[in-house]
Amino acid sequence: MKQNHNQIALKGGSYSLAMTGIVLAILVVVNIFVSVLPTTMTKYDISSAKLFSITSGTKVVVNALEKDVTVYWIVQADKEDDVIENLLAKYESLSDHIKVVKKNPDVYPTFADQYTSEEVQNNSLIVECGERSRFISYSDIYLTQENLSAYSYDTSFDGEGAITSAIDYVVSEELPVLYILEDHGEAELSSVFREQIEKENIETATFSLLNEDSVPEEADCVLIYAPASDISSEEKDMLSEYVTEGGKLMVLAGPLEDENLENLYCLLEDYGVEAEEGVVVESDREHYAFQAPYILLPEIGESTITSPLIEENYYAIMPVSLGLKVRDTAGAVTELLTTSETAYSKAAGYNISTYEKEEGDAEGPFALAVSVDCKMKDRLYGLPPQTCWMTGIILILPAPILIWV
């Protein structure tokens, strides 16, 4: 059935940040930096059932401790927050390397001054290991956000996220650096994405390949974030060499309304993954959201990458996505997110005038996120065993996300 083009205008961007913050935080930060970057994968759940539990990501960080960490609890007598007290007890029980020490500001009025110049609220924390420390304000534990629709404020608990991030920070001698590519009209990082990167103790730097002969050696990972134009063939070659030599590349890109990212997508072809130009549309009502067939609800495949989503019963919401066809048959490619069997890609792209399948539209199903184990792939393509390539499309802008790691 034909529908007015204006009624079908793709509005994926208006949904993306509102609907995908938690999923982005988990999928992006947990899995991009598989072997080089921190593994402080923490998920924040303020339900009563989860306030007194510790996530598996925190257990990984705490169980790996080899240095002693002291958590100073700045709290007046008889004014302890019960939830924070229980949470700190959990940390102490997990590792002999963690010790919680109460510091009553009435007894030690200047103690916190050596760690921070901020105002120190009751039930704030200071995490210390050797000469490194981090101050955690009470307002960083109980986060308050304005709810414009209800003319009120919502409060969420992020005690575990803040403490685990602080522990990872104080025990780390060097912090990884994420290099962000510029000069292709890239979008600014969303606040959700940037905050999660900071929480994972990842430093960021911007750079351009236009005045470089190769990707800087200091880059632990390279990020290309929602480019508005294609990379050059020279940049493609530099990025290909970087990945082949074991570098980690994360790309969030396309589909675009008036641009074809041909060079960027060419990077995928040697790995048995082809990008299908167009916008994926679902005909199965269980696989799209908000009565919009282009806002996809993909199936989540079993993987260490997606297990946090499965365990916490999250949905991946994918507005305006590009389809991937996996041609690899050697078992190196894992499809992480997939459409239904009846999905198809609209060749008209942003100029969709109907959700019905038309001549020229590519038949699904499609992968919307895949990972490639290059330790297997090297036997076919000559890549070094340490190289790992992941590509996917994950909910953030009206664009898919391709991830190479």
Side-chain angles (χ1 to χ4, degrees), residues 74-75 118-125 135 137-140:
I74 313 301
V75 60
E118 296 182 38
E119 178 185 354
V120 180
Q121 300 170 276
N122 218 36
N123 285 292
S124 294
L125 305 171
F135 171 66
S137 171
Y138 182 73
S139 60
D140 294 326

Side-chain angles (χ1 to χ4, degrees), residues 214-249:
S214 62
V215 175
E217 292 182 0
E218 314 84 64
D220 292 301
C221 180
V222 170
L223 169 64
I224 304 176
Y225 187 88
S229 60
D230 198 10
I231 60 175
S232 66
S233 58
E234 292 79 9
E235 289 173 299
K236 181 197 73 174
D237 292 341
M238 283 187 277
L239 291 170
S240 179
E241 181 180 1
Y242 171 71
V243 172
T244 300
E245 293 180 352
K248 302 178 183 299
L249 172 63

Side-chain angles (χ1 to χ4, degrees), residues 220-332:
D220 292 301
C221 180
V222 170
L223 169 64
I224 304 176
Y225 187 88
S229 60
D230 198 10
I231 60 175
S232 66
S233 58
E234 292 79 9
E235 289 173 299
K236 181 197 73 174
D237 292 341
M238 283 187 277
L239 291 170
S240 179
E241 181 180 1
Y242 171 71
V243 172
T244 300
E245 293 180 352
K248 302 178 183 299
L249 172 63
M250 176 181 180
V251 184
L252 294 76
L256 300 177
E257 188 168 2
D258 300 310
E259 182 79 17
N260 184 353
L261 304 179
E262 181 178 354
N263 286 326
L264 187 60
Y265 296 140
C266 275
L267 287 169
L268 297 172
E269 294 179 359
D270 287 343
Y271 296 85
V273 181
E274 297 178 5
E276 185 71 54
E277 287 297 329
V279 172
V280 175
V281 168
E282 276 285 3
S283 61
D284 184 340
R285 186 61 186 88
E286 293 186 358
H287 287 82
Y288 66 87
F290 312 118
Q291 299 180 335
Y294 58 87
I295 302 180
L296 311 179
L297 290 173
E299 295 288 339
I300 302 177
E302 293 284 347
S303 166
T304 55
I305 294 171
T306 56
S307 60
L309 295 178
I310 296 171
E311 291 171 5
E312 299 298 319
N313 296 315
Y314 287 124
Y315 283 99
I317 302 177
M318 315 271 293
V320 193
S321 297
L322 192 78
L324 299 177
K325 282 290 188 179
V326 179
R327 311 298 184 187
D328 174 84
T329 58

Side-chain angles (χ1 to χ4, degrees), residues 45-83:
D45 192 323
I46 62 169
S47 67
S48 59
K50 292 295 182 69
L51 283 176
F52 301 104
S53 66
I54 294 289
T55 63
S56 58
T58 289
K59 291 177 182 177
V60 169
V61 173
V62 172
N63 291 338
L65 287 177
E66 297 180 353
K67 301 177 181 179
D68 292 336
V69 175
T70 302
V71 181
Y72 293 107
W73 185 8
I74 313 301
V75 60
Q76 294 172 302
D78 301 322
K79 292 189 177 180
E80 294 87 350
D81 181 290
D82 291 339
V83 175

